[in-house]
Amino acid sequence: MTLDVVILAAGQGTRMKSALPKVLHPLAGKPLLQHVIDAALALRPEGLHIVIGHGAERVKTAVTAPAARWVLQAEQLGTGHAVQQAAPSLRGGGTTLILYGDVPLIGQQSLQSLLAVAARGALGLLTVELADPTGYGRILRDAHGSVRAIVEHKDASDAERAIREVNTGIMAVPTSRLCGWLDQLQNHNSQREYYLTDIIAMAAGSGVRVEAVTASGETEVAGVNDRAQLATLERAAQAARARQLMLAGVTLLDPARIDIRGSVRHGADVSIDINVIFEGDNTLGSNVSIGAGCVLKNVEIGDGVTIHPHSVIEGARIAAGCSVGPFARLRPGTRMGEGAKIGNFVETKKADIGAHSKISHLSYVGDAVLGEDVNVGAGTITCNYDGVNKFETRIGDGAFIGSNTALVAPVTVGAHATVGAGSVITTSVPENTLAVARGKQRNIDGWKRPEKES
Ligand code: UD1
Ligand code: CA
């Protein structure tokens, strides 16, 4: 059975009141439309057709959809008209699944159920019961309970409006039948639109069974029309992720206060305090502890690492047993060897820090390679930039950098060398030596501070 998926994403989304096309607004860190594309690709379809209109060029470049066919619907004349634009490239004899670019949390189980219905030659329609069905197309059933038609809210009678089972719009249809029905659509309705929903009555009329599949709940079929709905779905998506983490053995001090805008792989007994944000792809080892208020993006963290509160870490690889923060900022290209320590108010960038080395307080270490067991004193700065070019600082194993040292790169401090506090190091320091590069202290006898005139 060949499968074509059509995603409708041409609408403007006026109620978002945004310059950004609606389907590009992010949910859990990726565009709404990307969620739908990913759900479609998980079904391994032969064809993926994305109908775009408003902001078409921007939409195309903002999502990843390998081998998708982009279909332009220049004028939005209705959901039926939108699917018509894709019809010429659908494969006859297969199934077509229709999804919506602004319904991001659609689940695989519902989609599989719909495809199973279509595989039997019937039309699978995803429906849901709503406490308040206002605005939605209502499901009309015959005396035997079979679906016979959908009536749009605007076209419905009072009796029909009392029906709480509504159309989600998501359906799986035998493709050859679909194309025939699309040809017959008319726009004789209150909105002067070509309604996709009219094919339901056509199916029922031509003896094709319409089977309703019930959605797992409102969330998976909820569409985003405004930013309040977007926020509601964001919370739903985050709650689901938090729950998944907890069931997989992660301690969350408060599952309502964690945001995962990407992925988190983890070992056993990881503990995450409140208000932590993950972005991109992250890997945590076992017995990792993440303090409150940390923001982690594309990090790889080994076993037994502690990240203390309010640290911001991006593009870093942190080996087992390290300690970071509080208030540390690790920028891309930071590598920490086993048992290394980065303390408070330290910034690192492109820094390779050897095992058991320590940068405990108030330092900037960038474009640097540090050996093992190096001790970097408080207030040390690698002066890596001359305004035009970046230069490297190298510090050998066991070196001791006194507090408030400026290391003017390019410069090398040899293994087991010591740099006196307050030094400005401009030339390399050989191994096992002491470098002191600061003004010599003078003590002036009997000197008096100026006094105020009385
Ligand atoms: C549609 C259904 C309704 C259902 C509801 C669920 C129809 C006629 N009605 O109504 O039964 O209860 O969804 O949310 O299908 N779109 C296009 N091109 C168009 C028109 C729409 O791409 O020409 C896209 C929109 O961007 C949107 C989606 O299709 O993502 C739904 O369109 P919309 O006009 O919002 O349909 P509803 O009136 O909500
Ligand atoms: Ca809608």
PDB file of all heavy atoms in Angstrom, residues 257-273:
ATOM      1  N   ARG A 257       8.344  22.550  35.983  1.00  0.00           N
ATOM      2  CA  ARG A 257       9.352  23.587  35.771  1.00  0.00           C
ATOM      3  C   ARG A 257      10.612  23.026  35.112  1.00  0.00           C
ATOM      4  O   ARG A 257      11.721  23.117  35.636  1.00  0.00           O
ATOM      5  CB  ARG A 257       9.685  24.287  37.094  1.00  0.00           C
ATOM      6  CG  ARG A 257       8.579  25.248  37.514  1.00  0.00           C
ATOM      7  CD  ARG A 257       8.914  25.979  38.779  1.00  0.00           C
ATOM      8  NE  ARG A 257       8.845  25.101  39.950  1.00  0.00           N
ATOM      9  CZ  ARG A 257       9.223  25.458  41.162  1.00  0.00           C
ATOM     10  NH1 ARG A 257       9.710  26.663  41.371  1.00  0.00           N
ATOM     11  NH2 ARG A 257       9.110  24.612  42.175  1.00  0.00           N
ATOM     12  N   ILE A 258      10.408  22.419  33.938  1.00  0.00           N
ATOM     13  CA  ILE A 258      11.531  22.001  33.105  1.00  0.00           C
ATOM     14  C   ILE A 258      11.055  22.167  31.675  1.00  0.00           C
ATOM     15  O   ILE A 258       9.885  21.929  31.376  1.00  0.00           O
ATOM     16  CB  ILE A 258      11.945  20.538  33.378  1.00  0.00           C
ATOM     17  CG1 ILE A 258      13.062  20.105  32.429  1.00  0.00           C
ATOM     18  CG2 ILE A 258      10.759  19.581  33.275  1.00  0.00           C
ATOM     19  CD1 ILE A 258      13.684  18.752  32.772  1.00  0.00           C
ATOM     20  N   ASP A 259      11.925  22.647  30.799  1.00  0.00           N
ATOM     21  CA  ASP A 259      11.566  22.789  29.392  1.00  0.00           C
ATOM     22  C   ASP A 259      12.583  22.073  28.525  1.00  0.00           C
ATOM     23  O   ASP A 259      13.783  22.346  28.639  1.00  0.00           O
ATOM     24  CB  ASP A 259      11.498  24.273  29.003  1.00  0.00           C
ATOM     25  CG  ASP A 259      10.172  24.894  29.437  1.00  0.00           C
ATOM     26  OD1 ASP A 259       9.839  24.749  30.623  1.00  0.00           O
ATOM     27  OD2 ASP A 259       9.490  25.483  28.594  1.00  0.00           O
ATOM     28  N   ILE A 260      12.078  21.197  27.675  1.00  0.00           N
ATOM     29  CA  ILE A 260      12.956  20.453  26.785  1.00  0.00           C
ATOM     30  C   ILE A 260      12.642  20.869  25.352  1.00  0.00           C
ATOM     31  O   ILE A 260      11.622  20.497  24.802  1.00  0.00           O
ATOM     32  CB  ILE A 260      12.778  18.945  27.000  1.00  0.00           C
ATOM     33  CG1 ILE A 260      13.119  18.622  28.450  1.00  0.00           C
ATOM     34  CG2 ILE A 260      13.662  18.160  26.050  1.00  0.00           C
ATOM     35  CD1 ILE A 260      12.719  17.248  28.874  1.00  0.00           C
ATOM     36  N   ARG A 261      13.530  21.692  24.808  1.00  0.00           N
ATOM     37  CA  ARG A 261      13.328  22.184  23.450  1.00  0.00           C
ATOM     38  C   ARG A 261      14.324  21.475  22.544  1.00  0.00           C
ATOM     39  O   ARG A 261      15.181  22.101  21.929  1.00  0.00           O
ATOM     40  CB  ARG A 261      13.543  23.697  23.407  1.00  0.00           C
ATOM     41  CG  ARG A 261      12.614  24.413  24.367  1.00  0.00           C
ATOM     42  CD  ARG A 261      12.948  25.867  24.535  1.00  0.00           C
ATOM     43  NE  ARG A 261      12.183  26.423  25.643  1.00  0.00           N
ATOM     44  CZ  ARG A 261      12.507  27.519  26.285  1.00  0.00           C
ATOM     45  NH1 ARG A 261      13.582  28.193  25.944  1.00  0.00           N
ATOM     46  NH2 ARG A 261      11.765  27.944  27.279  1.00  0.00           N
ATOM     47  N   GLY A 262      14.255  20.174  22.568  1.00  0.00           N
ATOM     48  CA  GLY A 262      15.208  19.359  21.831  1.00  0.00           C
ATOM     49  C   GLY A 262      15.162  17.984  22.444  1.00  0.00           C
ATOM     50  O   GLY A 262      14.099  17.519  22.830  1.00  0.00           O
ATOM     51  N   SER A 263      16.330  17.331  22.559  1.00  0.00           N
ATOM     52  CA  SER A 263      16.307  15.969  23.092  1.00  0.00           C
ATOM     53  C   SER A 263      17.255  15.836  24.286  1.00  0.00           C
ATOM     54  O   SER A 263      18.229  16.570  24.411  1.00  0.00           O
ATOM     55  CB  SER A 263      16.709  14.978  21.999  1.00  0.00           C
ATOM     56  OG  SER A 263      18.078  15.143  21.704  1.00  0.00           O
ATOM     57  N   VAL A 264      16.933  14.895  25.156  1.00  0.00           N
ATOM     58  CA  VAL A 264      17.790  14.589  26.310  1.00  0.00           C
ATOM     59  C   VAL A 264      17.928  13.071  26.406  1.00  0.00           C
ATOM     60  O   VAL A 264      16.934  12.375  26.596  1.00  0.00           O
ATOM     61  CB  VAL A 264      17.169  15.111  27.626  1.00  0.00           C
ATOM     62  CG1 VAL A 264      18.056  14.733  28.811  1.00  0.00           C
ATOM     63  CG2 VAL A 264      16.970  16.618  27.582  1.00  0.00           C
ATOM     64  N   ARG A 265      19.150  12.578  26.218  1.00  0.00           N
ATOM     65  CA  ARG A 265      19.404  11.156  26.493  1.00  0.00           C
ATOM     66  C   ARG A 265      20.090  11.115  27.852  1.00  0.00           C
ATOM     67  O   ARG A 265      20.811  12.043  28.222  1.00  0.00           O
ATOM     68  CB  ARG A 265      20.314  10.552  25.416  1.00  0.00           C
ATOM     69  CG  ARG A 265      19.579  10.453  24.056  1.00  0.00           C
ATOM     70  CD  ARG A 265      20.340   9.573  23.098  1.00  0.00           C
ATOM     71  NE  ARG A 265      21.660  10.121  22.838  1.00  0.00           N
ATOM     72  CZ  ARG A 265      22.725   9.397  22.516  1.00  0.00           C
ATOM     73  NH1 ARG A 265      22.629   8.072  22.452  1.00  0.00           N
ATOM     74  NH2 ARG A 265      23.881   9.970  22.267  1.00  0.00           N
ATOM     75  N   HIS A 266      19.873  10.047  28.589  1.00  0.00           N
ATOM     76  CA  HIS A 266      20.396  10.059  29.956  1.00  0.00           C
ATOM     77  C   HIS A 266      20.661   8.657  30.473  1.00  0.00           C
ATOM     78  O   HIS A 266      20.054   7.688  30.027  1.00  0.00           O
ATOM     79  CB  HIS A 266      19.385  10.754  30.875  1.00  0.00           C
ATOM     80  CG  HIS A 266      18.045  10.076  30.856  1.00  0.00           C
ATOM     81  ND1 HIS A 266      17.757   9.007  31.664  1.00  0.00           N
ATOM     82  CD2 HIS A 266      16.944  10.287  30.104  1.00  0.00           C
ATOM     83  CE1 HIS A 266      16.527   8.593  31.408  1.00  0.00           C
ATOM     84  NE2 HIS A 266      16.009   9.357  30.461  1.00  0.00           N
ATOM     85  N   GLY A 267      21.534   8.589  31.472  1.00  0.00           N
ATOM     86  CA  GLY A 267      21.783   7.345  32.171  1.00  0.00           C
ATOM     87  C   GLY A 267      20.868   7.228  33.384  1.00  0.00           C
ATOM     88  O   GLY A 267      19.814   7.857  33.441  1.00  0.00           O
ATOM     89  N   ALA A 268      21.317   6.455  34.375  1.00  0.00           N
ATOM     90  CA  ALA A 268      20.490   6.212  35.560  1.00  0.00           C
ATOM     91  C   ALA A 268      20.695   7.304  36.609  1.00  0.00           C
ATOM     92  O   ALA A 268      21.758   7.918  36.690  1.00  0.00           O
ATOM     93  CB  ALA A 268      20.848   4.857  36.153  1.00  0.00           C
ATOM     94  N   ASP A 269      19.674   7.515  37.414  1.00  0.00           N
ATOM     95  CA  ASP A 269      19.748   8.396  38.583  1.00  0.00           C
ATOM     96  C   ASP A 269      20.239   9.803  38.291  1.00  0.00           C
ATOM     97  O   ASP A 269      21.090  10.346  39.000  1.00  0.00           O
ATOM     98  CB  ASP A 269      20.594   7.731  39.677  1.00  0.00           C
ATOM     99  CG  ASP A 269      19.880   6.494  40.214  1.00  0.00           C
ATOM    100  OD1 ASP A 269      18.691   6.607  40.569  1.00  0.00           O
ATOM    101  OD2 ASP A 269      20.496   5.416  40.227  1.00  0.00           O
ATOM    102  N   VAL A 270      19.693  10.362  37.268  1.00  0.00           N
ATOM    103  CA  VAL A 270      19.936  11.776  36.967  1.00  0.00           C
ATOM    104  C   VAL A 270      18.920  12.584  37.765  1.00  0.00           C
ATOM    105  O   VAL A 270      17.768  12.172  37.922  1.00  0.00           O
ATOM    106  CB  VAL A 270      19.767  12.037  35.455  1.00  0.00           C
ATOM    107  CG1 VAL A 270      19.694  13.531  35.161  1.00  0.00           C
ATOM    108  CG2 VAL A 270      20.904  11.383  34.685  1.00  0.00           C
ATOM    109  N   SER A 271      19.355  13.714  38.297  1.00  0.00           N
ATOM    110  CA  SER A 271      18.441  14.558  39.046  1.00  0.00           C
ATOM    111  C   SER A 271      18.484  15.977  38.483  1.00  0.00           C
ATOM    112  O   SER A 271      19.561  16.536  38.260  1.00  0.00           O
ATOM    113  CB  SER A 271      18.848  14.555  40.523  1.00  0.00           C
ATOM    114  OG  SER A 271      18.055  15.489  41.219  1.00  0.00           O
ATOM    115  N   ILE A 272      17.326  16.532  38.250  1.00  0.00           N
ATOM    116  CA  ILE A 272      17.248  17.860  37.632  1.00  0.00           C
ATOM    117  C   ILE A 272      16.383  18.774  38.495  1.00  0.00           C
ATOM    118  O   ILE A 272      15.211  18.483  38.751  1.00  0.00           O
ATOM    119  CB  ILE A 272      16.675  17.765  36.196  1.00  0.00           C
ATOM    120  CG1 ILE A 272      17.551  16.820  35.356  1.00  0.00           C
ATOM    121  CG2 ILE A 272      16.585  19.149  35.559  1.00  0.00           C
ATOM    122  CD1 ILE A 272      17.018  16.539  33.975  1.00  0.00           C
ATOM    123  N   ASP A 273      16.999  19.846  38.961  1.00  0.00           N
ATOM    124  CA  ASP A 273      16.283  20.805  39.807  1.00  0.00           C
ATOM    125  C   ASP A 273      15.407  21.710  38.938  1.00  0.00           C
ATOM    126  O   ASP A 273      15.368  21.568  37.714  1.00  0.00           O
ATOM    127  CB  ASP A 273      17.299  21.601  40.643  1.00  0.00           C
ATOM    128  CG  ASP A 273      16.721  22.033  41.990  1.00  0.00           C
ATOM    129  OD1 ASP A 273      15.497  22.209  42.085  1.00  0.00           O
ATOM    130  OD2 ASP A 273      17.509  22.209  42.941  1.00  0.00           O
TER     131      ASP A 273
END
